[in-house]
Amino acid sequence: MLALFSLLLFCYCNCMCVKAKVAEMIRIALSQTMAIMVKNLIMVSFGMSIGFRTVLIGGVLHDDEFQGVGESELSWLGSISMLTLLVGCIGSGFVTQPIGRKRSMQFVTIPYVSCWVGYYFSTKIWHLYIVLMVMGFFSGLVEGPFNTYVSEVTQPHLRGVLSISGSMSVMLGSFLQFLIGTFFKWRICALISCAFPLVTFFLFFLVPESPYWLISNNKLVEAKKSLAWLRGWTKVENIELEIGSIIRHYAEERDQQTRKQSSFKEYFTPFLKKSFIYPLLLVSFAFMISSFTGASTLQTYAIAIFGTMKLPINSYYATVCLGSVQLLGSLISIFLIRFLGKRRLFFIAISCMCICNMIIAIYAHFSGALQINLTKDSGVSTNLDVSDYKWVPLTFLILLSFMNNGGVHALPWILMSEVYSYKTRSVGCGLSSAVSSLLSFVANNLFLRVTSFISIPGMYTLHCAVCIVGFLVLYFYLPETEGKSLETIADHFAQKIKLDNKVQKKPLKKGIDNTLFEYNESNANVSHTVSKL
């Protein structure tokens, strides 16, 4: 009897320990998720600004105040914000570093609200150009903090999922804008959109600043409180190991800096090394593939493309379907990336996109849909006898967008927050975002012009070729970073080690799950390091 009681007591204690551990893990994940979700509200607003370009182009074509708008004006409406976003991205790391990650994202909500109001009062085409440029610039200015904040507050086993949630938030914003645009005129859409950045401004008061930024600015007490908040609202004593390794590394870097004379050349030396150039080229190539495989221009010119392809439903309803599958693709990728990894998910998605582009090109050729139709019609045409095949372009255009958001579009954004070293991450994220903006500008600005020259079948055949090139190049040069620590990834690009192509599914040792630098027992004298600060 005593033995049975002892066994039951042992089982009960084990169950309680397991429950306590599970509760702690949930609490730690929840705190990081909450911080990222507030940041993602900015991404929702950014996604709404992207989706609004589609609504705006369709609205301008039907608005009597904008008579005489043609191919050139529509090309600039669809792309000019990318040009100023590029300018903002270039200075992102340099301008926002002194301000802080959180504060930079919080302050950008103010010009966002102003721009949405500016849309409402625009009566000339140049008014719209100015508002698009201003919104694009401030969106670019916080591209660095967007991605840096994720990498600096999350643990490796959560980083991939929470990084891709940013992409999903952009898709959610686009979907919401498409949905609002289906029921309201474009000016009313702009006013409704004001609510999102306004709410976000106040929610940022509830989440902490990046502990890495706080340490780099000699705010040790605030850094400890921030990391304790991000590790499940725990006590400061419980994160001493992790905060100590961060402090130690920062102190070592600072000591190295003080031994040298600071100069312009020394500041830019890390950006001239292969450990920075290689990741920059890799991320830039991934952005190029994402921009020129058809999905990016489809979102911008969705109403015109849907109308030209003679879909069986109204073009505005089709944009809602487009926004839905974009959101669904991003949502599914959050769950798949943890199991398949970034490489495998990308290769599956890019292969499907290649097939979709080829089928769309073949359909456009045989249906006679050779040029983009910019007339103010309903989007449903019956000039050609394709009644039995109208589902083909609808299905494969939607599938093209779904696969893009399921594995291609998010890849460079996730890589951006992982592949750069701590010293180059803020500037690297800003420059990578600038490359993304430049490529998006080129793709959207030239789409109508190039399509009028090589036809719709030629354009989608070109998209198909880009998919093939992307598959081949990244097969040899893209490492698997899912679940790997930031230091391990940085060492790979510094050619100290070589990453394998397997997904690291097992969380790292408790206490240093998110350190950029592995804890070294031989250098565990944290108190000495702290005193140097």
Side-chain angles (χ1 to χ4, degrees):
M1 190 68 181
L2 181 60
L4 179 61
F5 176 76
S6 299
L7 179 62
L8 291 174
L9 182 61
F10 175 77
C11 292
Y12 174 77
C13 291
N14 271 312
C15 289
M16 294 303 293
C17 290
V18 169
K19 287 182 179 180
K21 189 172 183 179
V22 170
E24 182 185 7
M25 291 174 63
I26 292 174
R27 191 175 66 251
I28 293 173
L30 183 61
S31 62
Q32 296 171 60
T33 302
M34 286 181 63
I36 299 304
M37 287 303 106
V38 173
K39 186 275 301 184
N40 283 345
L41 287 177
I42 285 285
M43 305 301 284
V44 172
S45 294
F46 179 61
M48 293 185 76
S49 70
I50 295 174
F52 188 74
R53 296 203 306 264
T54 306
V55 175
L56 182 62
I57 290 173
V60 165
L61 285 173
H62 293 80
D63 197 326
D64 294 333
E65 291 187 29
F66 296 92
Q67 296 290 339
V69 173
E71 180 182 290
S72 177
E73 290 81 6
L74 293 179
S75 295
W76 283 106
L77 283 179
S79 62
I80 197 170
S81 62
M82 295 292 111
L83 196 59
T84 53
L85 195 146
L86 164 65
V87 177
C89 288
I90 292 175
S92 176
F94 302 100
V95 174
T96 61
Q97 175 66 23
I99 303 173
R101 321 298 194 209
K102 186 187 84 167
R103 196 176 300 170
S104 300
M105 294 185 288
Q106 185 178 29
F107 285 167
V108 83
T109 59
I110 299 173
Y112 260 50
V113 173
S114 302
C115 288
W116 287 121
V117 175
Y119 278 125
Y120 180 80
F121 289 104
S122 297
T123 56
K124 304 291 184 182
I125 194 71
W126 62 270
H127 295 169
L128 297 175
Y129 289 159
I130 291 175
V131 176
L132 284 164
M133 287 190 294
V134 172
M135 181 169 277
F137 173 76
F138 282 101
S139 296
L141 204 60
V142 289
E143 282 285 4
F146 278 162
N147 301 283
T148 307
Y149 188 76
V150 177
S151 65
E152 292 180 351
V153 304
T154 58
Q155 296 167 296
H157 64 285
L158 296 173
R159 191 192 315 125
V161 172
L162 293 178
S163 293
I164 206 171
S165 69
S167 176
M168 188 188 75
S169 299
V170 175
M171 297 304 107
L172 175 61
S174 296
F175 168 72
L176 290 174
Q177 196 64 265
F178 291 155
L179 188 62
I180 296 170
T182 303
F183 300 103
F184 299 97
K185 299 292 185 181
W186 64 272
R187 296 183 191 274
I188 303 301
C189 290
L191 283 184
I192 295 174
S193 302
C194 286
F196 291 87
L198 199 60
V199 171
T200 306
F201 176 83
F202 294 102
L203 288 178
F204 263 115
F205 287 110
L206 304 178
V207 297
E209 178 59 86
S210 162
Y212 294 93
W213 182 86
L214 292 170
I215 288 174
S216 67
N217 286 269
N218 297 323
K219 298 181 179 181
L220 182 58
V221 176
E222 292 91 335
K224 289 183 177 181
K225 292 179 180 178
S226 172
L227 192 60
W229 194 100
L230 293 164
R231 294 301 175 264
W233 305 286
T234 187
K235 296 179 180 179
V236 172
E237 293 79 12
N238 296 335
I239 49 88
E240 287 292 347
L241 184 63
E242 183 173 356
I243 202 75
S245 61
I246 302 171
I247 293 169
R248 175 171 48 82
H249 179 86
Y250 173 70
E252 290 171 356
E253 278 195 341
R254 193 185 64 171
D255 288 344
Q256 292 174 4
Q257 294 269 337
T258 55
R259 293 191 193 105
K260 302 177 181 179
Q261 289 184 347
S262 60
S263 67
F264 182 84
K265 181 179 178 180
E266 289 171 358
Y267 177 79
F268 281 96
T269 297
F271 304 105
L272 301 176
K273 294 181 178 179
K274 188 176 180 180
S275 58
F276 175 76
I277 295 175
Y278 179 13
L280 180 62
L281 292 176
L282 179 65
V283 174
S284 298
F285 183 80
F287 273 126
M288 189 274 288
I289 298 301
S290 177
S291 299
F292 291 94
T293 47
S296 175
T297 50
L298 171 61
Q299 176 164 321
T300 302
Y301 300 103
I303 294 174
I305 293 174
F306 288 152
T308 302
M309 289 293 184
K310 306 166 178 48
L311 303 188
I313 61 175
N314 184 277
S315 296
Y316 283 92
Y317 295 147
T319 60
V320 177
C321 296
L322 180 69
S324 300
V325 298
Q326 287 176 341
L327 180 61
L328 181 62
S330 298
L331 183 62
I332 291 176
S333 65
I334 288 180
F335 297 100
L336 291 182
I337 195 171
R338 193 73 190 100
F339 302 99
L340 297 179
K342 301 178 184 69
R343 275 178 57 91
R344 194 179 301 173
L345 189 60
F346 171 82
F347 294 138
I348 293 173
I350 199 72
S351 300
C352 293
M353 290 181 70
C354 182
I355 296 172
C356 290
N357 278 310
M358 183 54 65
I359 292 175
I360 293 168
I362 293 172
Y363 172 86
H365 174 75
F366 286 104
S367 68
L370 303 180
Q371 299 296 329
I372 299 294
N373 184 9
L374 298 178
T375 58
K376 303 178 181 181
D377 56 25
S378 64
V380 181
S381 175
T382 57
N383 292 334
L384 297 174
D385 186 17
V386 292
S387 56
D388 294 335
Y389 306 100
K390 286 184 178 180
W391 60 270
V392 172
L394 176 63
T395 301
F396 287 97
L397 284 169
I398 294 296
L399 185 59
L400 175 70
S401 184
F402 173 79
M403 298 309 302
N404 177 67
N405 288 278
V408 176
H409 174 76
L411 175 68
W413 296 103
I414 300 175
L415 287 177
M416 188 194 306
S417 64
E418 296 179 329
V419 297
Y420 297 111
S421 66
Y422 177 68
K423 295 171 66 175
T424 62
R425 184 172 299 116
S426 183
V427 175
C429 287
L431 290 177
S432 298
S433 299
V435 171
S436 170
S437 303
L438 177 61
L439 293 172
S440 296
F441 168 75
V442 173
N444 286 287
N445 189 266
L446 296 181
F447 176 74
L448 294 178
R449 296 180 175 89
V450 175
T451 301
S452 65
F453 181 72
I454 66 174
S455 76
I456 294 177
M459 177 58 78
Y460 279 92
T461 301
L462 183 61
H463 292 328
C464 182
V466 172
C467 291
I468 295 173
V469 171
F471 185 100
L472 294 176
V473 172
L474 291 182
Y475 182 83
F476 293 103
Y477 291 101
L478 176 66
E480 181 56 71
T481 61
E482 182 61 27
K484 312 292 175 61
S485 70
L486 294 178
E487 185 193 34
T488 303
I489 298 170
D491 285 345
H492 169 83
F493 288 104
Q495 296 186 324
K496 296 179 181 178
I497 62 171
K498 184 174 179 60
L499 288 177
D500 57 32
N501 292 328
K502 297 180 180 179
V503 179
Q504 180 69 46
K505 297 182 180 180
K506 193 173 182 180
L508 299 178
K509 189 167 54 175
K510 183 182 177 182
I512 56 171
D513 279 0
N514 190 37
T515 58
L516 298 173
F517 328 101
E518 297 291 345
Y519 183 72
N520 188 342
E521 294 292 345
S522 64
N523 294 314
N525 190 0
V526 175
S527 60
H528 174 66
T529 305
V530 173
S531 65
K532 291 163 65 176
L533 294 175

